[in-house]
């Protein structure tokens, strides 16, 4: 009974502040033009107690988490019923109501957003976990935002000084995306248990050496506000588009790499070999599929080690298998010297090449 009373109170509070989220959403500065889809609303009654086999993951960040690439036909097909998303805003197409669970057919963030790392994170989690486990995501992201956009002490002044397109994205969350993340997560906790937090953010903080400490502040606030323990809820943070993929913000990957020193429960998700869009900021649809599966690989490994959850995941991160060739295209041994071409082959058959000099 207490749970039901809390749910009604939370629903009334949300209804008082909900804005129809039909304002476009970002590619950091332009609309993605996602194809229209339809979805059937799936209302779930609030259980008397959270289901320990309903694993919930919070997803937040900027445009690469929001979803920049247009989903392709394959992305709408065969989405498992055991993979859910709780709408953090109202959608008109597909029709979704804030605070309700739906099968996680894209878009997950808001209408007119694109494919995200969370899409194939959830699908791979479901594929590799026992059938009695359901995966749910709470997804709040704002294209173009700095990490300060998730810090309520800064967000008001930050938004005030930004362009109108950015203000429109923020308005979907009443200008406080952190508050919306927590409100939605609290509703989700009535159904299941938070098992992890996925972050993809940093392009707008490139060059900011204080970024890891700011992320730590946000992470610890989430834990505190949701009564969570860091040892039970790791933070998974994805890299920016790499230099070899034409990334403009690749330098921030060196800052991201330091995050585990600041947050012991943080894990870094490699973007190596993930195809990127021509803008040098975002991934392609295939890139989102790849990095999303890598988030899942890391989380499955954590669950196996810390919770004893049996999984049957095969890592999709790149193998440490390399071959070297001379400039005539002839394969050479690892002992070869001079100007060479090094080729790396990943488990997903992704091939990356780079020039090296060995003396």
């Amino acid at each position: 009974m207490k749970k039901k009373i809390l749910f009604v109170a939370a629903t009334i509070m949300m209804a008082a502040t909900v804005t129809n989220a039909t304002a476009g959403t970002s590619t950091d500065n332009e609309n993605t033009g996602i194809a229209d889809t339809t979805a059937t609303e799936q209302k779930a009654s609030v259980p008397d107690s959270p289901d320990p086999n309903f694993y919930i993951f919070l997803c937040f960040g900027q445009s690469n988490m929001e979803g920049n690439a247009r989903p392709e036909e394959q992305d709408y097909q065969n989405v498992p019923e055991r993979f859910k998303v709780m709408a953090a805003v109202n959608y008109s197409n597909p029709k979704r109501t804030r605070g309700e669970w739906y099968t996680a057919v894209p878009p997950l963030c808001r209408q007119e957003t694109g494919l995200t790392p969370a899409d194939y994170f959830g699908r791979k989690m479901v594929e590799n976990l026992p059938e009695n486990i359901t995966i749910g995501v709470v997804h709040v992201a704002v294209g173009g935002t700095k990490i300060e956009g998730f810090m309520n002490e800064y967000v008001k002044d930050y938004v005030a000084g930004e362009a109108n397109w950015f203000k429109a994205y923020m308005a979907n969350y009443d200008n406080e995306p952190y508050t919306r993340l927590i409100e939605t997560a609290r509703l989700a906790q009535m159904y299941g248990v938070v098992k992890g937090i996925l972050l993809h953010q940093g392009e707008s903080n490139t060059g900011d050496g204080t970024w890891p400490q700011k992320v730590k502040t946000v992470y610890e606030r989430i834990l505190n506000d949701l009564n969570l323990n860091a040892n039970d809820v790791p933070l998974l943070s994805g890299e920016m588009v790499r230099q070899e993929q034409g990334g403009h913000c690749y330098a921030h990957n060196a800052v991201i790499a330091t995050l585990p020193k600041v947050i012991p429960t943080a894990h870094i998700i490699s973007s190596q070999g993930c195809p990127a869009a021509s803008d040098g900021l975002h991934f392609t649809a295939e890139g989102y599929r790849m990095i999303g599966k890598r988030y899942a690989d890391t989380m499955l490994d954590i669950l196996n080690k810390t919770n004893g959850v049996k999984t049957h995941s095969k890592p999709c991160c790149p193998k440490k298998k390399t071959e070297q060739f001379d400039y005539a295209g002839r394969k050479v041994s690892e002992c070869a010297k001079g100007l060479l071409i090094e080729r790396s082959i990943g488990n997903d058959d992704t091939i990356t090449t780079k020039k090296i000099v060995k003396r």
Side-chain angles (χ1 to χ4, degrees):
M1 180 62 71
K2 183 177 179 181
K3 289 284 186 184
K4 293 180 179 178
I5 292 172
L6 287 171
F7 175 74
V8 171
T11 302
I12 292 172
M13 179 179 69
M14 289 173 63
T17 59
V18 166
T19 301
N20 285 332
T22 56
T25 205
S26 98
T27 62
D28 275 342
N29 58 8
E30 61 184 55
N31 193 288
T32 51
I34 302 305
D36 289 344
T37 59
T38 58
T40 302
E41 186 170 332
Q42 301 171 348
K43 291 186 178 180
S45 58
V46 182
D48 291 332
S49 60
D51 181 355
N53 292 319
F54 192 167
Y55 292 2
I56 296 167
F57 296 89
L58 312 184
C59 307
F60 76 105
Q62 60 181 104
S63 57
N64 272 318
M65 182 57 79
E66 183 185 66
N68 180 270
R70 184 185 183 95
E72 298 171 356
E73 185 62 30
Q74 62 179 298
D75 303 313
Y76 296 111
Q77 298 174 352
N78 304 315
V79 181
E81 289 288 328
R82 288 166 47 219
F83 177 28
K84 308 288 186 184
V85 59
M86 176 174 274
V89 297
N90 287 335
Y91 293 46
S92 61
N93 186 14
K95 179 65 177 177
R96 290 177 181 171
T97 302
R98 180 180 162 192
E100 297 289 346
W101 288 109
Y102 299 87
T103 300
V105 177
L108 302 188
C109 187
R110 304 188 302 277
Q111 68 185 52
E112 299 181 4
T113 54
L115 205 64
T116 84
D119 283 276
Y120 282 82
F121 164 79
R123 298 185 200 201
K124 185 158 189 180
M125 292 292 289
V126 165
E127 290 172 1
N128 291 280
L129 288 169
E131 292 185 359
N132 64 323
I133 294 177
T134 298
I135 298 298
V137 294
V138 170
H139 201 289
V140 174
V142 180
T145 189
K146 294 182 177 181
I147 192 64
E148 286 87 344
F150 287 91
M151 304 176 79
N152 284 355
E153 68 269 38
Y154 300 126
V155 69
K156 183 178 179 179
D157 290 339
Y158 172 44
V159 174
E162 292 297 312
N164 287 337
W165 61 264
F166 183 75
K167 292 176 181 177
Y169 303 149
M170 279 288 194
N172 288 286
Y173 306 112
D174 298 326
N175 294 324
E176 289 190 1
Y178 177 83
T179 299
R180 183 65 57 86
L181 179 67
I182 297 302
E183 288 176 350
T184 311
R186 284 174 176 161
L187 287 177
Q189 283 183 298
M190 296 181 180
Y191 297 85
V193 181
V194 177
K195 290 288 188 178
I197 300 171
L198 280 59
L199 170 67
H200 201 286
Q201 192 281 327
E203 292 90 349
S204 294
N205 286 92
T206 298
D208 180 1
T210 66
W211 180 84
Q213 190 61 49
K214 292 172 182 174
V215 172
K216 179 182 180 182
T217 297
V218 176
Y219 174 60
E220 291 180 344
R221 284 177 182 170
I222 293 172
L223 298 177
N224 182 66
D225 288 343
L226 298 178
N227 195 27
L228 302 171
N229 188 309
N231 292 326
D232 300 325
V233 185
L235 175 69
L236 280 58
S237 182
E239 289 184 332
M240 311 292 95
V241 174
R242 291 261 185 129
Q243 181 179 18
E244 58 268 28
Q245 302 300 129
H248 294 316
C249 301
Y250 71 89
H252 194 63
N253 288 338
V255 179
I256 294 174
T258 68
L259 201 56
K261 296 179 181 179
V262 179
I263 304 173
T265 51
H267 302 262
I268 309 307
I269 310 303
S270 172
S271 66
Q272 181 179 338
C274 293
S278 59
D279 63 9
L281 296 171
H282 303 103
F283 299 102
T284 63
E286 180 58 21
Y288 286 118
R289 295 182 197 112
M290 289 172 60
I291 198 168
K293 291 175 183 178
R294 292 176 185 177
Y295 276 92
D297 284 332
T298 298
M299 193 66 229
L300 289 165
D301 186 55
I302 293 169
L303 289 172
N304 187 30
K305 290 178 179 177
T306 61
N307 294 49
V309 177
K310 293 183 179 180
T311 66
H312 46 277
S313 171
K314 294 182 179 179
C316 67
C317 291
K319 294 178 180 177
K320 293 181 179 178
K321 178 183 177 182
T322 60
E323 298 175 318
Q324 295 175 357
F325 300 83
D326 63 20
Y327 263 65
R330 296 170 297 202
K331 188 174 180 179
V332 296
S333 73
E334 293 182 358
C335 299
K337 297 181 181 181
L339 185 60
L340 305 172
I341 298 173
E342 183 177 82
R343 182 175 72 173
S344 300
I345 305 174
N347 282 331
D348 51 8
D349 294 327
T350 299
I351 298 175
T352 59
T353 60
K354 64 179 179 179
K355 299 177 183 179
I356 61 172
V357 177
K358 295 180 68 176
R359 293 183 173 83

